[in-house]
Amino acid sequence: MSDIDIDIDNAQRQVIVFEIAGHQLAVDIMAVREIRPWSPSTPLPGVPSFVRGVVNLRGVVLPVCDLGERLGWGKSNPSERHVIIVVQIDGQQVGLIADGVSDILTFPRSAVQPTGDVAAEAAAFLEGLVLQDQRMLLVLALDRLGLTENLQVAA
Amino acid sequence: MDQDDILAIFFQECDEGLAVAESGLAALAGGAADAEGLNAVFRAVHSIKGGAGAFGFDALVRYAHLFETVLDHLRAGRLAHDLEVVRLLQRSRDVLDDHVHAAQNGGAAPDDSGVVAELSQLAADPGAAPTVAASAEAPAAAEPDADEFGFMPVTVDLDSFNAPAETPWLVRFRPLAGAMAHGNDPLLLLRELERMGALEIRLDETALADLAVLDPCEPGLAWEIEMPGDTDEQAILDVFDFVIDDCELSVARKAENAAVLDLPADLADTPAPADQPAAESRAAAAAAAAAPPAGERPSIRVDLDRVDQLVNLVGELVITQSMMAQRVKDLNLDLSEELDDLSHLTREMQDAVMAMRAQPVRTAFARVPRLLRDLELETGKSVRLDVSGETTEVDKTVVDRIGEPLVHLIRNAVDHGLEAPADRVAAGKPEQGVIRLAAEHRSGRIVITVADDGRGIDRARVRAKAVERGILAPDATPSDEEIDNLIFAPGFSTAERVSNISGRGVGLDVVRRNVASFGGRVTLASTPGQGSVFSLTLPLTLAVLDGMVVRSGGDTYVIPLANIVECIRPAPGQIRAVGSRPDVLELRGMHLPIVDLGAVLRGENGDEGSETAFVIVDCEHLGRAALRVDSIDDQRQVVIKSLEANFRAVAGLAGATTLGDGKVALILDPESLIAMARTPAAALSLAA
């Protein structure tokens, strides 16, 4: 761990908490651009199953990712009750399908614990776990989702 | 706006100035003794010097100053303008280019000693021919007699004698009503002019009112001031800087005002350069004298991002408009006339906005002359450049992206295309090679050709090389055209030795890929012994596309109109099964492979029972095919949205767009669709 991390260990961290297939996930609030209602996406040919297609975000073509599928919890069946969380990853905007957004939480940086083998298949895409009010939050590591760069290799 | 922004603008202006200098000098080299052209070069260098001074680029300032001095001699007629001088100026411009880029990149100043020595000589002694000329073919027509007298002053004296630079300036100055109210005193101005060496000041009191009606607060006098011809026009104008809005002012050469002599067009005999404040003066005379030359219209500099934002917004407006039209139709409102107007307006607005992004390809061509001069030095070949169609307009994104491929093709043409001078003479060709660079619009695309009159493709050698490199099977029997196209294969280079110019392994395959990446293609036609022609076919814009809206399996797709030959609804029996898939479509005796959109894009098994239409597309490499769709809905212009911006390139797709219902529709790339239908492997290589 670098010096910088130690310095900011006690700094506060704010996340948006959302739910997918009964799991509580958290994503850094700084990465979130907006949360919008789900709208039908246009499927793309020849892409991995967790890329559900693209939607029109005020003139911008936004790819939509099915996080449940990516994390190994099965394909979600989005309806109008679902939301799309628009996040910024490496200068690109990507939409994440979620069952719903439940909370905004603040906790010290040091509260993030290693995943161990708790989250199994999803662990590769997680930064760590946070235990808060009897709940276990899975903190997403957006840059590891491989929504864009890994796909290029795959193609 | 901070310092960096200003600096960025300065370098942008430097590039523009260098381009102006390039074209101006090219015109001079071509024999056009065009005073305005020379003035433009002078202004360009002068602006670079001025800006460089403000930012403290001392080396650049010193060099630009020297350059400017020589240009000024030429402008004033103190220096005869012959080809040798122009050649020197062109080399000087190249060094200025190097200086600018050294300043921009923070590198060391380039080695300018050679050019500086020659320029300094001319600056100090404009009468002497440049050193190169002095050594050999120098003596101009007027000079041979000079030697008999043992000295050579004649050229200088004749030039300066002829030079109308010495014609006195005639300044007409009339304060307007209200001038006095601003506290201006003509006397101070006249004194200043006198101090600058005014030859004569004449009072014109004809407009003075009778004493009975005289308003003492209003000026009624005017003056005519004759200034020495060697006074800087700008200096004269500067005197009137603070009163320019309150007076009629004209500054012009005396002879011209007198309008008795029809002076021959000479370099120095020019009215005020276009960009000087005289143009802003209210005096009609000055305005006329300083009017910008025809074709040069006023322009403003706008940040490209703002234009792009506008393009995007207008695109959204078009979509919103069509959504509204749909709603109005659903509600049975009688608004069709207004809606038609609105639709026309939005379409016109879209065209106008797109036109804002259009630029002449000249910008991309501007670097070529310099490149050729460098290549001439490196290869020892002599090259003439013929340029045509440089005013052809195309979207800025395209202009920006053709620079690199163009450089590659030109290098290739000089290095591989043109023969060495001796070989050319042996082949009965003139020693100087010709590179023709042309741009033209052709059916909705822009075609840029780079043609040389060199040896053409040596097919036997290309073939041997391709076999040696494992690109071609030894027993293959390719056609001439196929052999020619081998030079675009990755890793192919026939240069016998690796030169600095090309043959570095990154060759024409890079050009082809580069051009393909923005929707263009490169083709080659070659005649042995007569030369090769490379054609770049590019889209006019990367932002808007004419397309056909089709439906397949509930999804909407757009097929680029440029690829579409025709659309048909098949009669029974037109579809023929040929054992295994794909089936073929028989069309007027031709058999076209059928590409089922549903099968290729969604992995469905083509259901032939459903309603079916075929869109016949024609592709550059894979020829014609029939795309099977469920229905053809519309033909319209769509705004191309990149998939790469937030995602990545997807095989089979050229991009995406938003349609009237707000949903995203995918724009198909027929070429890669056909490839995908043929072999999955081919699809992957196209996507890479």
Side-chain angles (χ1 to χ4, degrees), chain A residues 77-155:
Chain A
N77 190 12
S79 67
E80 272 155 38
R81 295 197 353 260
H82 285 71
V83 294
I84 292 177
I85 303 173
V86 182
V87 294
Q88 182 102 15
I89 308 172
D90 285 341
Q92 293 189 312
Q93 291 192 356
V94 177
L96 308 175
I97 301 176
D99 297 348
V101 173
S102 52
D103 221 344
I104 293 177
L105 279 182
T106 306
F107 50 78
R109 217 158 262 273
S110 54
V112 182
Q113 303 162 14
T115 48
D117 38 45
V118 181
E121 199 177 334
F125 310 115
L126 298 181
E127 190 187 316
L129 306 174
V130 173
L131 290 166
Q132 186 110 1
D133 308 332
Q134 312 293 316
R135 291 186 298 175
M136 184 178 73
L137 304 183
L138 309 175
V139 183
L140 271 181
L142 289 176
D143 52 344
R144 275 185 239 150
L145 286 174
L147 294 180
T148 50
E149 72 271 26
N150 286 355
L151 292 182
Q152 271 154 4
V153 178

Coordinates of all heavy atoms in Angstrom, one line a residue, chain A residues 77-155:
Chain A
N77 N -33.8 -9.2 -16.1 CA -34.9 -9.0 -17.0 C -35.5 -7.6 -16.8 O -36.5 -7.4 -16.1 CB -36.0 -10.1 -16.7 CG -37.0 -10.1 -17.8 OD1 -36.8 -9.5 -18.9 ND2 -38.1 -10.8 -17.6
P78 N -34.8 -6.6 -17.3 CA -35.2 -5.2 -16.9 C -36.6 -4.8 -17.4 O -37.1 -5.2 -18.4 CB -34.1 -4.4 -17.7 CG -33.6 -5.3 -18.7 CD -33.8 -6.7 -18.3
S79 N -37.2 -4.0 -16.5 CA -38.5 -3.5 -16.8 C -38.5 -2.0 -16.4 O -37.5 -1.5 -16.1 CB -39.6 -4.2 -15.9 OG -39.3 -3.8 -14.5
E80 N -39.7 -1.4 -16.5 CA -39.7 0.0 -16.3 C -39.4 0.4 -14.8 O -39.1 1.5 -14.5 CB -41.1 0.6 -16.6 CG -41.1 1.0 -18.1 CD -42.5 0.9 -18.7 OE1 -43.5 1.3 -17.9 OE2 -42.7 0.5 -19.8
R81 N -39.4 -0.6 -13.9 CA -39.0 -0.4 -12.5 C -37.5 -0.3 -12.3 O -37.0 0.1 -11.3 CB -39.7 -1.4 -11.6 CG -41.2 -1.2 -11.7 CD -42.0 -1.9 -10.5 NE -41.2 -2.7 -9.6 CZ -41.1 -4.0 -9.7 NH1 -41.8 -4.7 -10.7 NH2 -40.5 -4.7 -8.8
H82 N -36.8 -0.8 -13.3 CA -35.3 -0.8 -13.2 C -34.7 0.6 -13.5 O -35.4 1.4 -14.1 CB -34.7 -1.8 -14.2 CG -34.9 -3.2 -13.7 ND1 -36.1 -3.9 -13.7 CD2 -34.0 -4.1 -13.2 CE1 -35.9 -5.1 -13.2 NE2 -34.6 -5.3 -12.9
V83 N -33.5 0.8 -13.1 CA -32.8 2.0 -13.4 C -31.5 1.8 -14.1 O -31.0 0.7 -14.1 CB -32.5 2.9 -12.1 CG1 -33.8 3.3 -11.4 CG2 -31.6 2.1 -11.2
I84 N -31.1 2.8 -14.8 CA -29.7 2.7 -15.4 C -28.8 3.8 -14.7 O -29.2 4.9 -14.6 CB -29.8 3.1 -16.9 CG1 -30.5 1.9 -17.6 CG2 -28.4 3.2 -17.5 CD1 -30.7 2.2 -19.1
I85 N -27.8 3.3 -14.1 CA -26.8 4.2 -13.4 C -25.7 4.5 -14.4 O -25.0 3.6 -14.9 CB -26.2 3.5 -12.2 CG1 -27.3 3.1 -11.2 CG2 -25.2 4.4 -11.5 CD1 -26.8 2.2 -10.1
V86 N -25.6 5.8 -14.8 CA -24.6 6.1 -15.8 C -23.3 6.5 -15.1 O -23.3 7.4 -14.2 CB -25.1 7.4 -16.6 CG1 -24.1 7.7 -17.7 CG2 -26.4 7.1 -17.3
V87 N -22.3 5.7 -15.4 CA -21.0 5.9 -14.7 C -19.9 6.3 -15.7 O -20.0 5.9 -16.9 CB -20.5 4.7 -13.9 CG1 -21.5 4.4 -12.7 CG2 -20.4 3.5 -14.8
Q88 N -18.9 6.9 -15.2 CA -17.8 7.3 -16.1 C -16.6 6.4 -15.8 O -16.2 6.3 -14.6 CB -17.4 8.8 -15.7 CG -16.3 9.3 -16.5 CD -16.8 10.3 -17.6 OE1 -18.0 10.7 -17.5 NE2 -16.0 10.6 -18.6
I89 N -16.2 5.7 -16.8 CA -15.0 4.8 -16.7 C -14.0 5.2 -17.7 O -14.2 5.1 -18.9 CB -15.4 3.3 -16.8 CG1 -16.6 2.9 -16.0 CG2 -14.2 2.4 -16.5 CD1 -17.1 1.5 -16.3
D90 N -12.8 5.6 -17.3 CA -11.7 6.0 -18.2 C -12.2 6.9 -19.4 O -12.0 6.6 -20.5 CB -11.2 4.7 -18.8 CG -10.3 4.0 -17.9 OD1 -9.8 4.6 -16.9 OD2 -10.0 2.8 -18.0
G91 N -13.0 7.9 -19.0 CA -13.4 8.8 -20.1 C -14.6 8.3 -20.9 O -15.0 9.1 -21.8
Q92 N -15.0 7.1 -20.7 CA -16.2 6.7 -21.4 C -17.4 6.6 -20.4 O -17.2 6.3 -19.3 CB -15.9 5.3 -22.0 CG -14.9 5.3 -23.1 CD -14.8 4.0 -23.8 OE1 -14.7 3.0 -23.2 NE2 -14.8 4.0 -25.1
Q93 N -18.6 6.8 -21.0 CA -19.8 6.7 -20.1 C -20.4 5.3 -20.4 O -20.6 4.9 -21.6 CB -20.7 7.8 -20.4 CG -20.2 9.1 -19.9 CD -21.2 10.2 -19.9 OE1 -22.3 10.0 -20.4 NE2 -20.8 11.4 -19.5
V94 N -20.8 4.7 -19.4 CA -21.5 3.3 -19.5 C -22.7 3.3 -18.6 O -22.6 3.8 -17.5 CB -20.5 2.2 -19.1 CG1 -21.1 0.9 -19.2 CG2 -19.2 2.2 -20.0
G95 N -23.7 2.7 -19.0 CA -24.9 2.5 -18.2 C -24.9 1.1 -17.5 O -24.6 0.1 -18.1
L96 N -25.2 1.1 -16.2 CA -25.3 -0.2 -15.5 C -26.8 -0.4 -15.1 O -27.4 0.5 -14.5 CB -24.4 -0.1 -14.2 CG -23.0 0.3 -14.3 CD1 -22.3 0.4 -13.0 CD2 -22.2 -0.7 -15.2
I97 N -27.3 -1.6 -15.4 CA -28.7 -1.9 -15.1 C -28.7 -2.3 -13.6 O -28.0 -3.1 -13.2 CB -29.2 -3.0 -16.0 CG1 -29.2 -2.6 -17.4 CG2 -30.7 -3.3 -15.6 CD1 -29.6 -3.7 -18.4
A98 N -29.6 -1.7 -12.9 CA -29.8 -2.0 -11.5 C -31.3 -2.2 -11.1 O -32.1 -1.6 -11.8 CB -29.1 -0.9 -10.6
D99 N -31.5 -3.0 -10.1 CA -32.9 -3.2 -9.7 C -33.5 -1.9 -9.1 O -34.7 -1.6 -9.2 CB -33.1 -4.3 -8.7 CG -32.7 -5.7 -9.4 OD1 -32.5 -5.7 -10.6 OD2 -32.5 -6.7 -8.6
G100 N -32.6 -1.2 -8.4 CA -33.1 0.0 -7.8 C -31.9 0.6 -7.0 O -31.0 0.0 -6.6
V101 N -32.0 2.0 -6.8 CA -31.0 2.6 -6.0 C -31.6 2.8 -4.6 O -32.7 3.3 -4.4 CB -30.6 4.0 -6.6 CG1 -29.7 4.8 -5.7 CG2 -30.0 3.8 -7.9
S102 N -30.8 2.4 -3.5 CA -31.4 2.5 -2.2 C -30.8 3.6 -1.3 O -31.6 4.1 -0.4 CB -31.2 1.1 -1.5 OG -29.8 0.8 -1.6
D103 N -29.6 4.0 -1.5 CA -29.0 4.8 -0.5 C -27.8 5.6 -1.0 O -27.2 5.2 -2.0 CB -28.6 3.9 0.7 CG -28.9 4.5 2.0 OD1 -29.1 5.7 2.1 OD2 -28.9 3.7 3.0
I104 N -27.4 6.6 -0.2 CA -26.1 7.2 -0.4 C -25.4 7.1 1.0 O -26.0 7.5 2.0 CB -26.2 8.7 -0.8 CG1 -26.8 8.7 -2.2 CG2 -24.8 9.3 -0.8 CD1 -27.0 10.2 -2.7
L105 N -24.2 6.5 1.0 CA -23.6 6.2 2.3 C -22.2 6.8 2.4 O -21.6 7.0 1.3 CB -23.4 4.7 2.5 CG -24.6 3.9 3.0 CD1 -24.2 2.5 3.2 CD2 -25.1 4.5 4.3
T106 N -21.8 7.2 3.6 CA -20.5 7.7 3.8 C -19.8 6.8 4.8 O -20.4 6.5 5.8 CB -20.5 9.2 4.3 OG1 -21.3 9.9 3.4 CG2 -19.1 9.8 4.4
F107 N -18.6 6.4 4.5 CA -17.8 5.6 5.5 C -16.3 5.9 5.3 O -15.9 6.4 4.3 CB -18.1 4.1 5.3 CG -18.0 3.6 3.9 CD1 -16.7 3.3 3.4 CD2 -19.1 3.4 3.1 CE1 -16.6 2.9 2.1 CE2 -19.0 2.9 1.8 CZ -17.7 2.6 1.3
P108 N -15.5 5.6 6.3 CA -14.1 5.9 6.2 C -13.5 4.9 5.2 O -14.0 3.8 5.0 CB -13.5 5.6 7.6 CG -14.7 5.3 8.5 CD -15.9 5.1 7.6
R109 N -12.5 5.4 4.5 CA -11.9 4.6 3.5 C -11.3 3.3 4.0 O -11.4 2.3 3.4 CB -10.7 5.4 3.0 CG -10.4 5.3 1.5 CD -9.6 6.5 1.0 NE -10.5 7.5 0.4 CZ -10.8 7.5 -0.9 NH1 -10.4 6.5 -1.6 NH2 -11.6 8.4 -1.4
S110 N -10.9 3.4 5.3 CA -10.3 2.2 5.9 C -11.4 1.1 6.1 O -11.0 -0.1 6.4 CB -9.7 2.5 7.2 OG -10.6 3.2 8.0
A111 N -12.7 1.4 6.0 CA -13.7 0.4 6.3 C -13.8 -0.6 5.2 O -14.5 -1.6 5.3 CB -15.1 1.1 6.4
V112 N -13.2 -0.4 4.0 CA -13.3 -1.3 2.9 C -12.3 -2.5 3.2 O -11.1 -2.3 3.4 CB -12.9 -0.7 1.6 CG1 -13.0 -1.7 0.4 CG2 -13.7 0.6 1.3
Q113 N -12.9 -3.7 3.3 CA -12.1 -4.9 3.6 C -11.9 -5.7 2.4 O -12.8 -5.7 1.5 CB -12.8 -5.7 4.7 CG -13.1 -5.0 6.0 CD -14.2 -5.6 6.8 OE1 -14.5 -6.8 6.6 NE2 -14.7 -4.9 7.8
P114 N -10.9 -6.5 2.4 CA -10.7 -7.4 1.2 C -11.9 -8.4 1.1 O -12.5 -8.8 2.1 CB -9.4 -8.2 1.5 CG -9.0 -7.8 2.9 CD -9.8 -6.6 3.4
T115 N -12.2 -8.9 -0.1 CA -13.3 -9.7 -0.3 C -13.2 -11.1 0.2 O -14.1 -11.8 0.6 CB -13.6 -9.8 -1.8 OG1 -12.4 -10.2 -2.5 CG2 -14.2 -8.6 -2.4
G116 N -11.9 -11.6 0.3 CA -11.7 -13.0 0.7 C -12.4 -13.9 -0.3 O -12.3 -13.6 -1.5
D117 N -13.1 -14.9 0.2 CA -13.8 -15.7 -0.8 C -15.3 -15.6 -0.6 O -16.1 -16.5 -1.0 CB -13.4 -17.2 -0.7 CG -13.1 -17.6 0.7 OD1 -14.0 -17.3 1.6 OD2 -12.1 -18.3 1.0
V118 N -15.7 -14.5 -0.1 CA -17.1 -14.3 0.2 C -17.9 -14.2 -1.1 O -18.9 -14.9 -1.3 CB -17.3 -13.0 1.0 CG1 -18.8 -12.7 1.2 CG2 -16.5 -13.0 2.3
A119 N -17.4 -13.3 -2.0 CA -18.2 -13.0 -3.2 C -17.9 -13.9 -4.4 O -18.4 -13.7 -5.5 CB -18.0 -11.6 -3.6
A120 N -17.0 -14.9 -4.2 CA -16.7 -15.9 -5.2 C -16.4 -15.2 -6.6 O -15.5 -14.5 -6.8 CB -17.8 -16.9 -5.3
E121 N -17.3 -15.6 -7.6 CA -17.1 -15.2 -9.0 C -17.0 -13.7 -9.2 O -16.2 -13.2 -10.0 CB -18.2 -15.8 -9.8 CG -17.9 -15.8 -11.3 CD -19.0 -16.5 -12.0 OE1 -19.8 -17.2 -11.4 OE2 -19.2 -16.2 -13.2
A122 N -17.7 -13.0 -8.4 CA -17.8 -11.5 -8.5 C -16.5 -10.8 -8.0 O -16.3 -9.7 -8.4 CB -19.0 -11.0 -7.8
A123 N -15.7 -11.6 -7.2 CA -14.6 -10.9 -6.5 C -13.7 -10.2 -7.4 O -13.1 -9.1 -7.1 CB -13.8 -12.0 -5.7
A124 N -13.5 -10.7 -8.6 CA -12.5 -10.1 -9.5 C -12.9 -8.7 -9.9 O -12.1 -7.9 -10.3 CB -12.4 -10.9 -10.8
F125 N -14.2 -8.4 -9.8 CA -14.7 -7.0 -10.2 C -14.9 -6.1 -9.0 O -15.5 -5.1 -9.1 CB -15.9 -7.2 -11.0 CG -15.8 -8.2 -12.1 CD1 -16.6 -9.3 -12.1 CD2 -14.9 -8.0 -13.1 CE1 -16.4 -10.3 -13.1 CE2 -14.7 -8.9 -14.2 CZ -15.5 -10.0 -14.2
L126 N -14.5 -6.6 -7.8 CA -14.8 -5.8 -6.6 C -13.5 -5.2 -6.0 O -12.4 -5.8 -6.1 CB -15.5 -6.7 -5.5 CG -16.8 -7.3 -5.9 CD1 -17.3 -8.2 -4.8 CD2 -17.8 -6.2 -6.3
E127 N -13.7 -4.1 -5.4 CA -12.6 -3.4 -4.7 C -12.5 -4.0 -3.3 O -11.5 -4.1 -2.7 CB -12.9 -1.9 -4.7 CG -11.8 -1.0 -4.2 CD -12.3 0.4 -4.1 OE1 -13.0 0.9 -5.0 OE2 -12.0 1.0 -3.1
G128 N -13.7 -4.3 -2.7 CA -13.7 -4.9 -1.4 C -15.1 -4.9 -0.8 O -16.1 -4.7 -1.5
L129 N -15.2 -5.2 0.5 CA -16.5 -5.3 1.1 C -16.6 -4.2 2.2 O -15.6 -3.8 2.8 CB -16.7 -6.6 1.8 CG -16.5 -7.9 1.0 CD1 -16.6 -9.1 1.9 CD2 -17.6 -7.9 -0.1
V130 N -17.8 -3.8 2.5 CA -18.0 -2.9 3.6 C -19.2 -3.4 4.4 O -20.2 -3.8 3.8 CB -18.3 -1.4 3.1 CG1 -18.7 -0.6 4.3 CG2 -17.1 -0.8 2.4
L131 N -19.0 -3.6 5.7 CA -20.1 -4.0 6.6 C -20.7 -2.8 7.2 O -20.0 -2.0 7.9 CB -19.6 -5.0 7.6 CG -19.2 -6.3 7.1 CD1 -18.4 -7.1 8.1 CD2 -20.4 -7.1 6.6
Q132 N -21.9 -2.5 7.0 CA -22.5 -1.3 7.5 C -24.0 -1.6 7.9 O -24.7 -2.1 7.1 CB -22.5 -0.3 6.4 CG -23.0 1.1 6.8 CD -21.9 2.1 6.9 OE1 -20.8 1.8 6.5 NE2 -22.2 3.3 7.3
D133 N -24.3 -1.3 9.1 CA -25.7 -1.6 9.7 C -26.2 -3.0 9.3 O -27.2 -3.1 8.8 CB -26.7 -0.5 9.1 CG -26.1 0.9 9.3 OD1 -25.4 1.1 10.2 OD2 -26.5 1.7 8.4
Q134 N -25.4 -4.0 9.6 CA -25.8 -5.3 9.4 C -25.9 -5.7 7.9 O -26.3 -6.8 7.6 CB -27.2 -5.7 10.0 CG -27.3 -5.2 11.5 CD -26.4 -5.9 12.4 OE1 -26.3 -7.1 12.4 NE2 -25.7 -5.2 13.3
R135 N -25.5 -4.7 7.0 CA -25.5 -5.1 5.6 C -24.1 -5.2 5.1 O -23.2 -4.6 5.6 CB -26.2 -3.9 4.9 CG -27.7 -3.7 5.1 CD -28.3 -2.7 4.2 NE -27.7 -1.4 4.5 CZ -28.0 -0.3 3.7 NH1 -28.8 -0.4 2.7 NH2 -27.4 0.8 4.0
M136 N -24.0 -6.1 4.1 CA -22.7 -6.2 3.4 C -22.8 -5.6 2.0 O -23.6 -6.0 1.2 CB -22.4 -7.7 3.3 CG -21.0 -7.9 2.7 SD -20.5 -9.6 2.6 CE -21.5 -10.1 1.2
L137 N -22.0 -4.5 1.9 CA -21.9 -3.9 0.6 C -20.7 -4.4 -0.2 O -19.6 -4.5 0.3 CB -21.8 -2.3 0.8 CG -22.8 -1.6 1.6 CD1 -22.5 -0.1 1.6 CD2 -24.2 -1.9 1.1
L138 N -21.0 -4.6 -1.5 CA -19.9 -5.0 -2.4 C -19.5 -3.7 -3.1 O -20.3 -3.2 -3.9 CB -20.4 -6.1 -3.4 CG -21.0 -7.3 -2.8 CD1 -21.6 -8.2 -3.9 CD2 -20.1 -8.0 -1.9
V139 N -18.2 -3.3 -2.9 CA -17.8 -2.0 -3.5 C -17.2 -2.4 -4.9 O -16.2 -3.1 -5.0 CB -16.8 -1.3 -2.7 CG1 -16.4 0.0 -3.3 CG2 -17.3 -1.1 -1.3
L140 N -17.8 -1.9 -5.9 CA -17.4 -2.2 -7.3 C -16.1 -1.5 -7.7 O -15.9 -0.3 -7.4 CB -18.5 -1.7 -8.3 CG -19.6 -2.6 -8.7 CD1 -20.5 -1.9 -9.7 CD2 -19.1 -3.9 -9.3
A141 N -15.2 -2.2 -8.4 CA -14.1 -1.6 -9.0 C -14.4 -1.5 -10.5 O -14.3 -2.4 -11.3 CB -12.8 -2.5 -8.8
L142 N -14.9 -0.3 -10.9 CA -15.4 -0.1 -12.2 C -14.4 -0.4 -13.3 O -14.7 -1.0 -14.3 CB -15.9 1.4 -12.4 CG -17.2 1.7 -11.6 CD1 -17.5 3.2 -11.7 CD2 -18.3 0.9 -12.1
D143 N -13.1 0.0 -13.0 CA -12.1 -0.2 -14.1 C -11.8 -1.6 -14.3 O -11.2 -2.0 -15.3 CB -10.9 0.6 -13.7 CG -10.4 0.3 -12.3 OD1 -11.1 -0.3 -11.6 OD2 -9.2 0.6 -12.0
R144 N -12.3 -2.5 -13.5 CA -12.0 -3.9 -13.7 C -13.1 -4.7 -14.4 O -13.0 -5.8 -14.7 CB -11.7 -4.6 -12.4 CG -10.2 -4.5 -11.9 CD -9.9 -5.3 -10.7 NE -9.5 -4.4 -9.6 CZ -9.7 -4.6 -8.3 NH1 -10.4 -5.7 -7.9 NH2 -9.2 -3.8 -7.4
L145 N -14.2 -3.9 -14.6 CA -15.4 -4.6 -15.2 C -15.1 -5.0 -16.7 O -15.7 -5.9 -17.2 CB -16.6 -3.7 -15.2 CG -17.2 -3.5 -13.9 CD1 -18.3 -2.5 -13.9 CD2 -17.8 -4.9 -13.4
G146 N -14.0 -4.4 -17.3 CA -13.6 -4.7 -18.6 C -14.8 -4.5 -19.6 O -15.0 -5.4 -20.5
L147 N -15.4 -3.4 -19.5 CA -16.6 -3.2 -20.4 C -16.1 -2.8 -21.8 O -16.8 -3.1 -22.8 CB -17.5 -2.1 -19.8 CG -18.1 -2.4 -18.5 CD1 -19.0 -1.3 -18.1 CD2 -19.0 -3.7 -18.7
T148 N -14.9 -2.2 -21.9 CA -14.5 -1.8 -23.2 C -13.2 -2.4 -23.6 O -13.1 -3.1 -24.6 CB -14.4 -0.2 -23.2 OG1 -13.6 0.2 -22.1 CG2 -15.7 0.4 -23.2
E149 N -12.1 -2.2 -22.8 CA -10.8 -2.6 -23.3 C -10.7 -4.1 -23.4 O -10.1 -4.6 -24.4 CB -9.7 -2.0 -22.4 CG -9.5 -2.6 -21.0 CD -10.4 -1.9 -20.0 OE1 -11.4 -1.3 -20.4 OE2 -10.1 -1.9 -18.8
N150 N -11.2 -4.9 -22.4 CA -11.1 -6.3 -22.5 C -11.9 -6.9 -23.7 O -11.5 -7.9 -24.3 CB -11.6 -7.0 -21.3 CG -10.7 -6.8 -20.1 OD1 -9.6 -6.3 -20.3 ND2 -11.1 -7.2 -18.9
L151 N -12.9 -6.2 -24.0 CA -13.7 -6.6 -25.2 C -12.9 -6.6 -26.4 O -13.1 -7.4 -27.3 CB -15.0 -5.7 -25.3 CG -15.9 -5.9 -24.2 CD1 -17.1 -5.0 -24.4 CD2 -16.4 -7.3 -24.0
Q152 N -12.1 -5.5 -26.5 CA -11.3 -5.4 -27.7 C -10.4 -6.6 -27.9 O -10.2 -7.1 -29.0 CB -10.5 -4.1 -27.7 CG -11.3 -3.0 -28.3 CD -10.9 -1.6 -27.8 OE1 -9.9 -1.5 -27.0 NE2 -11.5 -0.6 -28.2
V153 N -9.9 -7.1 -26.8 CA -9.0 -8.3 -26.9 C -9.9 -9.5 -27.3 O -9.6 -10.3 -28.2 CB -8.4 -8.6 -25.6 CG1 -7.5 -9.8 -25.7 CG2 -7.5 -7.4 -25.2
A154 N -11.1 -9.5 -26.7 CA -12.0 -10.7 -27.0 C -12.4 -10.7 -28.4 O -12.6 -11.7 -29.0 CB -13.2 -10.5 -26.1
A155 N -12.5 -9.5 -29.0 CA -12.9 -9.4 -30.4 C -11.8 -9.8 -31.3 O -11.9 -10.1 -32.4 CB -13.4 -8.0 -30.8

